[in-house]
Amino acid sequence: MQVHPARIRPLGFTPPKPGPVVLWMGRDQRADDNWALLHAAALAKAAGAPLFALFALPPDFPPATARHADFLLRGLAAVETALRDHGIPLALVPGDPAVAVPAFLRRVRAGVCVTDFDPLRPGRAAREAVATAPVWDGALLEVDAHNVVPAFVASAKREYAAATFRPKILKLLPEFLEPFPDLPAFAAGNLAGFAPVDWEAARAGLVLDPSVAPVAGITPGPEAAREALAAFLADRLPAYADRRNDPNAGATSTLSPWFHHGHLAPQRAALDALEAKKRAPAGAEAFLEELVVRRELADNYCLHEPAYDTLAALPAWAQKTLGAHAADPRPYRYTAREFETAATHSALWNAAERQLVRQGRLHGYMRMYWAKKILEWSATPEAALATALSLNDRYALDGSDPSGVAGVLWSVGGLHDRPWASRPVFGQIRYMNARGCRRKFDVDAYIARHGGGAADHNGEVA
């Protein structure tokens, strides 16, 4: 059951001490296919020590909407059931993780805490605070359970584009794309002192915005995620290579909410896609490119770029061209609120926004169009970036994720892209318009399905 040692790195300088082992669960919320949990279990078994799982829940966790809380808590409830079936309790502690986690570790006299990898600032700040907390003096270990190739192994620097990152990933895949071992069970006594979580009380303790309602028709949790993966591979993988850019085709995986919450290991998806490659080789290759290369490139970007959600993080050519065209007249100009309420002149853009608001997801091709039009119709590039990131994080079930950050920065600012022919407003940033969308798919069918509202005044600018 040994976890590849390159997946593991210490945070801080304190060595392991005798006592219980705690898995501090964050980005990877599942019992199966979880390298962080497997490593914690191996340490506990080797030491003959108890193993506990922990999740810290701030009362106002961002974006603090009813939609995200519902998906998070129902998913965690399913994870708790699976953990307890293995004799592992899950403790849900309220409060700022920087304070709540060290307090819990001290209370249970933990000798080692294992946590999962997260390249975003809030997660990294919480881990740094726990590693240096004076109230607990055990060892904190970080395990990348989210990437097939650990992000801190894949590259020691921020990669310029997929073209520079892909060879490094492909070289390392044979070493890291390995089957998962089974999670061992612990004796029933390991549950002593830990009653099941009161999930209704946990929900009641949160300060939430009820205006962003839960999404009907999508079930959180690892079991639902595995079912969704199986359905995609069986039914839609053959069409993925050719039809994934058609928002009406239903050819995408739709797995991003489960990936984001850690209900499904990307490595499990990669292993299962390789099994399906015999009957859908083109679809499997295209899916693996998105799943491994492109998704892990986003983690690489956020890991190595401190200012990952600002225009200052863009390549020099992109910053220069956006600056040169910042004062260009806009064909339309909308406020953040007008974007949020789908109150633009464009039926197609309004349909995309309404899909995001109602369904908590936006087709990948439409997300590019959606973000690029926010750039074209905002007063400044800075305002466009702020609006796109805010709306994505507020409404998307996969919001506040490295892939979402990188996707918005690609669309608005040319991240991981190259210069194109110069245009007003965009400069050399890649351009998209409604007329181009019409060449790709049935725009009218998409508008009819999602309720676009106002008619497009001009296909060239809409």
Side-chain angles (χ1 to χ4, degrees), residues 39 60 100 112 213 220 226 254 257-258 260 310 344 361 391 393 396 418 445:
H39 185 56
D60 57 348
V112 181
R226 292 289 290 268
T254 69
W258 294 291
H260 170 67
T310 72
T344 80
R361 64 177 71 187
L391 292 178
D393 292 351
R418 61 175 178 83

Side-chain angles (χ1 to χ4, degrees), residues 78-436:
V79 173
E80 181 195 27
T81 298
L83 287 171
R84 291 185 73 91
D85 286 345
H86 287 80
I88 303 168
L90 174 66
L92 186 73
V93 295
D96 180 356
V99 177
V101 172
F104 176 87
L105 296 174
R106 180 180 183 179
R107 178 166 62 84
V108 301
R109 299 182 179 179
V112 181
C113 177
V114 178
T115 190
D116 43 39
F117 166 77
D118 184 348
L120 297 185
R121 276 192 300 274
R124 294 173 73 171
R127 281 152 180 76
E128 181 178 349
V130 173
T132 58
V135 301
W136 177 68
D137 62 352
L140 180 62
L141 306 176
E142 182 181 57
V143 179
D144 191 341
H146 212 78
N147 294 296
V148 178
V149 178
F152 37 78
V153 174
S155 178
K157 64 178 183 178
R158 173 182 160 184
E159 294 294 331
Y160 181 77
T164 65
F165 188 60
R166 188 180 297 108
K168 297 182 178 181
I169 286 290
L170 295 181
K171 181 180 178 181
L172 292 166
L173 271 184
E175 181 177 355
F176 289 100
L177 186 53
E178 57 183 329
F180 288 99
D182 292 333
L183 176 67
F186 286 75
N190 195 64
L191 297 170
F194 290 90
V197 175
D198 184 339
W199 294 104
E200 287 304 315
R203 187 184 299 267
L206 297 176
V207 180
L208 301 174
D209 178 356
S211 67
V212 184
V215 177
I218 181 169
T219 303
E223 182 178 355
R226 292 289 290 268
E227 291 174 356
L229 171 63
F232 164 64
L233 296 177
D235 303 333
R236 305 193 299 281
L237 185 65
Y240 185 83
D242 297 326
R243 305 197 65 193
R244 69 184 184 279
N245 284 334
D246 181 347
N248 299 318
T252 59
S253 75
T254 69
L255 296 173
S256 60
W258 294 291
F259 284 142
H260 170 67
H261 286 84
H263 299 163
L264 179 63
Q267 186 156 337
R268 168 56 57 197
L271 290 167
D272 289 3
L274 284 175
E275 285 291 316
K277 190 174 179 179
K278 295 185 288 291
R279 57 181 178 77
E285 285 291 339
F287 178 59
L288 288 167
E289 166 72 14
E290 298 295 330
L291 174 72
V292 180
V293 176
R294 301 287 177 162
R295 191 187 55 79
E296 298 193 8
L297 177 62
D299 265 35
N300 165 270
Y301 166 66
C302 292
L303 173 63
H304 294 294
E305 176 49 68
Y308 56 73
D309 53 357
T310 72
L311 296 181
L314 294 176
W317 70 264
Q319 294 187 52
K320 181 179 179 180
T321 196
L322 286 173
H325 291 270
D328 287 2
R330 270 62 176 160
Y332 301 91
R333 186 177 294 188
Y334 299 108
T335 64
R337 181 60 181 167
E338 287 171 322
F339 281 120
E340 184 173 17
T341 55
T344 80
H345 69 285
S346 167
L348 178 58
W349 193 93
N350 293 345
E353 174 67 8
R354 286 178 174 142
Q355 180 187 13
L356 175 63
V357 169
R358 294 167 181 169
Q359 298 182 3
R361 64 177 71 187
L362 189 54
H363 185 279
Y365 187 83
M366 288 308 301
R367 196 180 319 217
M368 293 187 294
Y369 171 82
W370 169 88
K372 286 181 176 295
K373 289 304 159 185
I374 293 177
L375 170 64
E376 188 173 2
W377 303 333
S378 294
T380 65
E382 290 80 6
L385 179 61
T387 296
L389 287 174
S390 175
L391 292 178
N392 184 70
D393 292 351
R394 177 172 170 77
Y395 290 103
L397 284 170
D398 65 352
S400 302
D401 189 273
S403 291
V405 172
V408 168
L409 268 291
W410 181 91
S411 300
V412 171
L415 177 71
H416 298 147
D417 205 357
R418 61 175 178 83
W420 294 73
S422 186
R423 293 176 178 269
V425 183
F426 284 82
Q428 292 179 290
I429 304 299
R430 187 192 299 249
Y431 180 70
M432 289 179 70
N433 65 7
R435 193 159 59 190

